[in-house]
Amino acid sequence: GTGILSSQPEENPHWWNANMVFIPYCSSDVWSGASSKSEKNEYAFMGALIIQEVIKELVGKGLSTAKVLLLAGSSAGGTGVLLNVDRVAEQLEEMGYQGIQVRGLADSGWFLDNKQYRRTDCIDTITCAPTEAIRRGIRYWNGIVPERCKLQFKEGEEWNCFFGYKIYPTLRCPVFVVQWLFDEAQLTVDNVHLTGQPVQEGQWLYIQNLGRELRNTLKDVTASFAPACLSHEIITHNHWTDIQVKGTSLPRALHCWDRSLHENNKNGKAPLKGCPIHLIDSCPWPHCNPSCPTIRDQFTGQEMNVIQFLMHMGFDVQKMAQQQGLEPSKLLGMLSSGN
């Protein structure tokens, strides 16, 4: 595989020699379902049960002697990590394997239940507002959410547990959250479509506000990596070593997190000096971080630099410079250097 699934030390410096198991996403239920096929239900949604069965099977293949189990996933798999990490830990404890430390790595699965830029009726998954999609889905899939999160909400309100900032405070296992501040999947469900034509001012303000809201929800997340980029998913991409927040790459931050958990288990110390694990960009626009993945024009396929991209988005350099009290050339210089 690539990224965190690679067995090459250059591409995966910290976990290249780990035992890896890849579970394909075939259940379409954000790994929450426990609904078998029946006369009434034509489809089975059994994501939560698939994970339990995989754990059972792996115990007989060497997992029983592991020190650490890292449950990782991207997009729906990232949300699936948040929904299942504690349940996996409990399952292993019940099976008598208390010595295995279970941790989570959630990539691009920290969605917001915010107001859409343009409200649309829920005709399909793309037009459905995030909360409504989950509300309907959870009934359809017979979705399971962790007990500790469920207790925070009234009956029928379990859908709240699919949103990272609501479930995170209830989790017992350590979880590292990786989230683009301007996630393309989030913008799609919020009906902000960045195709062809320049973005209107209302959309531009909405996008900036999304970054602010997301940053706010991550402020109490101990271990996080949130670049100000427009993208979706990262941990299985081979460029995952290139992205940096405040001069630290994601593999380095994960290594620091791993070490801090290891050290804390020994003697309950504070975070390790010079080893940052709470990394969130503070610059306010998509791609104001110069290490962001390359953007391509959706029509021509040509690569764009930050300034071309912002112009393409309808970004008014003159106006923005005036608001910031800067010369336009100074602002462009700051943008291209990522300040």
Side-chain angles (χ1 to χ4, degrees), residues 281-303:
D281 263 335
S282 52
C283 65
W285 304 298
H287 273 62
C288 53
N289 173 334
S291 73
C292 286
T294 312
I295 304 180
R296 289 182 183 279
D297 184 297
Q298 284 173 309
F299 291 104
T300 65
Q302 279 188 305
E303 292 189 356

Side-chain angles (χ1 to χ4, degrees), residues 306-324:
V306 177
I307 293 162
Q308 287 167 327
F309 165 68
L310 290 172
M311 300 293 217
H312 168 79
M313 295 266 286
F315 178 87
D316 186 333
V317 176
Q318 300 284 10
K319 187 175 164 192
M320 198 56 83
Q322 210 178 344
Q323 284 175 357
Q324 306 278 337

Side-chain angles (χ1 to χ4, degrees), residues 203-222:
Q203 283 179 303
W204 181 240
L205 293 171
Y206 183 93
I207 291 166
Q208 284 182 272
N209 189 53
L210 173 70
R212 276 196 296 275
E213 283 185 18
L214 205 108
R215 199 180 287 117
N216 272 339
T217 65
L218 291 171
K219 63 177 188 298
D220 297 325
V221 175
T222 316

Side-chain angles (χ1 to χ4, degrees), residues 144-160:
I144 296 177
V145 301
E147 208 52 42
R148 277 164 65 93
C149 183
K150 199 174 172 178
L151 292 171
Q152 310 279 322
F153 300 101
K154 292 203 297 278
E155 200 177 332
E157 302 287 299
E158 295 85 356
W159 59 267
N160 282 286

